[in-house]
Amino acid sequence: MGPWYDHVKGWWKEKDKHRILYLFYEDMKENPEHEIQKIIEFMGKKLDKETVHRIVQHTSFESMKENPVTNYTTVSSAIMDHSISPFMRKGTVGDWKNYFTVAQNERFDADYQRKMANTSLTFHTELLREGGKI
């Protein structure tokens, strides 16, 4: 728990001390097979194409949203009230544009720039190529 900025910057600093694999949601949405392959290689493993394909299927947002083990629907409503907001909403990259006004986005960008100024970490908030394949 705590500020997102502190969480992200804290782990980003650790990259110089520890072997950490960083993945980005947008990249997972855009090319899940490529990102799963990164994880496999990071772990020093080799898997056949069929196993990789099954991992891609089971780790898709759509599959995980329906899975009680990953969607937190088995958690008590006293802890997480899904009638207010489900843990997993849409899984859509760039959906923030449907909720932020231009002024809110400008304030967010300024806040992000100020709080992330001392990192080399960069994010993209849209898919680079539509359709999910590079």
Side-chain angles (χ1 to χ4, degrees):
M1 298 293 178
W4 178 87
Y5 295 111
D6 294 344
H7 171 78
V8 171
K9 289 190 315 186
W11 282 106
W12 190 247
K13 284 181 190 176
E14 294 299 313
K15 72 181 179 0
D16 298 327
K17 300 177 203 165
H18 304 283
R19 189 172 172 257
I20 299 172
L21 175 64
Y22 294 91
L23 300 172
F24 298 92
Y25 185 74
E26 294 79 7
D27 297 335
M28 290 290 294
K29 287 293 284 189
E30 191 157 55
N31 193 338
E33 188 169 329
H34 181 262
E35 298 303 303
I36 295 295
Q37 196 61 46
K38 278 187 196 178
I39 296 167
I40 294 165
E41 290 171 13
F42 180 79
M43 294 174 63
K45 303 291 181 185
K46 291 186 181 193
L47 298 176
D48 61 83
K49 286 186 180 237
E50 178 57 33
T51 301
V52 172
H53 180 71
R54 284 197 322 258
I55 292 170
V56 169
Q57 286 179 319
H58 288 293
T59 59
S60 72
F61 182 86
E62 295 73 21
S63 178
M64 292 176 70
K65 185 173 182 169
E66 299 301 319
N67 183 342
V69 175
T70 57
N71 68 16
Y72 289 91
T73 54
T74 59
V75 172
S76 165
S77 62
I79 296 170
M80 180 172 287
D81 188 347
H82 287 270
S83 69
I84 295 171
S85 178
F87 177 71
M88 298 177 78
R89 293 181 338 106
K90 297 179 186 177
T92 304
V93 173
D95 193 45
W96 58 271
K97 293 177 189 178
N98 296 317
Y99 298 92
F100 275 29
T101 64
V102 172
Q104 287 171 327
N105 187 50
E106 289 171 352
R107 284 195 311 267
F108 174 81
D109 285 346
D111 188 56
Y112 179 89
Q113 292 301 321
R114 185 175 67 256
K115 291 179 178 171
M116 298 297 281
N118 296 324
T119 74
S120 59
L121 185 58
T122 58
F123 290 90
H124 59 266
T125 58
E126 298 180 48
L127 295 182
L128 300 177
R129 292 187 188 207
E130 292 302 317
K133 300 287 182 194
I134 294 181

PDB file of all heavy atoms in Angstrom, residues 97 100-109:
ATOM      1  N   LYS A  97      -8.656   7.831 -21.199  1.00  0.00           N
ATOM      2  CA  LYS A  97      -9.111   8.947 -22.037  1.00  0.00           C
ATOM      3  C   LYS A  97     -10.624   9.127 -21.969  1.00  0.00           C
ATOM      4  O   LYS A  97     -11.123  10.220 -22.227  1.00  0.00           O
ATOM      5  CB  LYS A  97      -8.709   8.723 -23.497  1.00  0.00           C
ATOM      6  CG  LYS A  97      -7.238   8.771 -23.751  1.00  0.00           C
ATOM      7  CD  LYS A  97      -6.976   8.450 -25.208  1.00  0.00           C
ATOM      8  CE  LYS A  97      -5.509   8.281 -25.471  1.00  0.00           C
ATOM      9  NZ  LYS A  97      -5.261   7.927 -26.860  1.00  0.00           N
ATOM     10  N   PHE A 100     -10.768  10.991 -18.075  1.00  0.00           N
ATOM     11  CA  PHE A 100     -10.041  12.229 -17.778  1.00  0.00           C
ATOM     12  C   PHE A 100     -10.470  13.330 -18.733  1.00  0.00           C
ATOM     13  O   PHE A 100     -10.577  13.093 -19.940  1.00  0.00           O
ATOM     14  CB  PHE A 100      -8.531  12.026 -17.959  1.00  0.00           C
ATOM     15  CG  PHE A 100      -7.811  11.448 -16.772  1.00  0.00           C
ATOM     16  CD1 PHE A 100      -8.442  10.596 -15.876  1.00  0.00           C
ATOM     17  CD2 PHE A 100      -6.480  11.746 -16.565  1.00  0.00           C
ATOM     18  CE1 PHE A 100      -7.758  10.061 -14.803  1.00  0.00           C
ATOM     19  CE2 PHE A 100      -5.782  11.219 -15.490  1.00  0.00           C
ATOM     20  CZ  PHE A 100      -6.424  10.376 -14.609  1.00  0.00           C
ATOM     21  N   THR A 101     -10.647  14.505 -18.199  1.00  0.00           N
ATOM     22  CA  THR A 101     -10.817  15.667 -19.063  1.00  0.00           C
ATOM     23  C   THR A 101      -9.426  16.080 -19.526  1.00  0.00           C
ATOM     24  O   THR A 101      -8.409  15.605 -18.999  1.00  0.00           O
ATOM     25  CB  THR A 101     -11.463  16.837 -18.307  1.00  0.00           C
ATOM     26  OG1 THR A 101     -10.563  17.257 -17.265  1.00  0.00           O
ATOM     27  CG2 THR A 101     -12.823  16.444 -17.720  1.00  0.00           C
ATOM     28  N   VAL A 102      -9.353  16.981 -20.473  1.00  0.00           N
ATOM     29  CA  VAL A 102      -8.052  17.486 -20.926  1.00  0.00           C
ATOM     30  C   VAL A 102      -7.312  18.124 -19.753  1.00  0.00           C
ATOM     31  O   VAL A 102      -6.119  17.894 -19.549  1.00  0.00           O
ATOM     32  CB  VAL A 102      -8.228  18.494 -22.090  1.00  0.00           C
ATOM     33  CG1 VAL A 102      -6.907  19.165 -22.423  1.00  0.00           C
ATOM     34  CG2 VAL A 102      -8.782  17.771 -23.323  1.00  0.00           C
ATOM     35  N   ALA A 103      -8.020  18.891 -18.953  1.00  0.00           N
ATOM     36  CA  ALA A 103      -7.392  19.562 -17.804  1.00  0.00           C
ATOM     37  C   ALA A 103      -6.871  18.538 -16.788  1.00  0.00           C
ATOM     38  O   ALA A 103      -5.764  18.696 -16.251  1.00  0.00           O
ATOM     39  CB  ALA A 103      -8.386  20.508 -17.141  1.00  0.00           C
ATOM     40  N   GLN A 104      -7.644  17.490 -16.522  1.00  0.00           N
ATOM     41  CA  GLN A 104      -7.189  16.452 -15.597  1.00  0.00           C
ATOM     42  C   GLN A 104      -5.955  15.748 -16.140  1.00  0.00           C
ATOM     43  O   GLN A 104      -5.015  15.465 -15.391  1.00  0.00           O
ATOM     44  CB  GLN A 104      -8.307  15.432 -15.353  1.00  0.00           C
ATOM     45  CG  GLN A 104      -9.427  15.942 -14.498  1.00  0.00           C
ATOM     46  CD  GLN A 104     -10.598  14.974 -14.470  1.00  0.00           C
ATOM     47  OE1 GLN A 104     -10.883  14.284 -15.461  1.00  0.00           O
ATOM     48  NE2 GLN A 104     -11.287  14.913 -13.341  1.00  0.00           N
ATOM     49  N   ASN A 105      -5.946  15.465 -17.421  1.00  0.00           N
ATOM     50  CA  ASN A 105      -4.788  14.822 -18.023  1.00  0.00           C
ATOM     51  C   ASN A 105      -3.555  15.718 -17.935  1.00  0.00           C
ATOM     52  O   ASN A 105      -2.458  15.234 -17.650  1.00  0.00           O
ATOM     53  CB  ASN A 105      -5.073  14.443 -19.474  1.00  0.00           C
ATOM     54  CG  ASN A 105      -3.948  13.622 -20.054  1.00  0.00           C
ATOM     55  OD1 ASN A 105      -3.516  12.646 -19.463  1.00  0.00           O
ATOM     56  ND2 ASN A 105      -3.459  14.037 -21.200  1.00  0.00           N
ATOM     57  N   GLU A 106      -3.724  16.995 -18.161  1.00  0.00           N
ATOM     58  CA  GLU A 106      -2.601  17.929 -18.044  1.00  0.00           C
ATOM     59  C   GLU A 106      -2.068  17.955 -16.616  1.00  0.00           C
ATOM     60  O   GLU A 106      -0.851  17.972 -16.400  1.00  0.00           O
ATOM     61  CB  GLU A 106      -3.020  19.320 -18.504  1.00  0.00           C
ATOM     62  CG  GLU A 106      -3.215  19.401 -20.011  1.00  0.00           C
ATOM     63  CD  GLU A 106      -3.837  20.715 -20.467  1.00  0.00           C
ATOM     64  OE1 GLU A 106      -4.273  21.533 -19.610  1.00  0.00           O
ATOM     65  OE2 GLU A 106      -3.899  20.920 -21.700  1.00  0.00           O
ATOM     66  N   ARG A 107      -2.964  17.942 -15.621  1.00  0.00           N
ATOM     67  CA  ARG A 107      -2.526  17.923 -14.216  1.00  0.00           C
ATOM     68  C   ARG A 107      -1.798  16.608 -13.902  1.00  0.00           C
ATOM     69  O   ARG A 107      -0.775  16.604 -13.221  1.00  0.00           O
ATOM     70  CB  ARG A 107      -3.709  18.119 -13.267  1.00  0.00           C
ATOM     71  CG  ARG A 107      -4.185  19.554 -13.201  1.00  0.00           C
ATOM     72  CD  ARG A 107      -5.092  19.847 -12.016  1.00  0.00           C
ATOM     73  NE  ARG A 107      -6.182  18.906 -11.836  1.00  0.00           N
ATOM     74  CZ  ARG A 107      -7.408  19.047 -12.331  1.00  0.00           C
ATOM     75  NH1 ARG A 107      -7.715  20.108 -13.038  1.00  0.00           N
ATOM     76  NH2 ARG A 107      -8.327  18.128 -12.098  1.00  0.00           N
ATOM     77  N   PHE A 108      -2.344  15.508 -14.411  1.00  0.00           N
ATOM     78  CA  PHE A 108      -1.692  14.223 -14.184  1.00  0.00           C
ATOM     79  C   PHE A 108      -0.298  14.215 -14.819  1.00  0.00           C
ATOM     80  O   PHE A 108       0.675  13.790 -14.185  1.00  0.00           O
ATOM     81  CB  PHE A 108      -2.516  13.057 -14.737  1.00  0.00           C
ATOM     82  CG  PHE A 108      -1.784  11.751 -14.638  1.00  0.00           C
ATOM     83  CD1 PHE A 108      -1.765  11.044 -13.447  1.00  0.00           C
ATOM     84  CD2 PHE A 108      -1.068  11.254 -15.724  1.00  0.00           C
ATOM     85  CE1 PHE A 108      -1.062   9.847 -13.340  1.00  0.00           C
ATOM     86  CE2 PHE A 108      -0.359  10.065 -15.621  1.00  0.00           C
ATOM     87  CZ  PHE A 108      -0.363   9.363 -14.426  1.00  0.00           C
ATOM     88  N   ASP A 109      -0.188  14.652 -16.064  1.00  0.00           N
ATOM     89  CA  ASP A 109       1.109  14.673 -16.747  1.00  0.00           C
ATOM     90  C   ASP A 109       2.128  15.508 -15.976  1.00  0.00           C
ATOM     91  O   ASP A 109       3.285  15.110 -15.842  1.00  0.00           O
ATOM     92  CB  ASP A 109       0.967  15.201 -18.172  1.00  0.00           C
ATOM     93  CG  ASP A 109       0.338  14.184 -19.121  1.00  0.00           C
ATOM     94  OD1 ASP A 109       0.257  12.992 -18.755  1.00  0.00           O
ATOM     95  OD2 ASP A 109      -0.081  14.594 -20.215  1.00  0.00           O
TER      96      ASP A 109
END
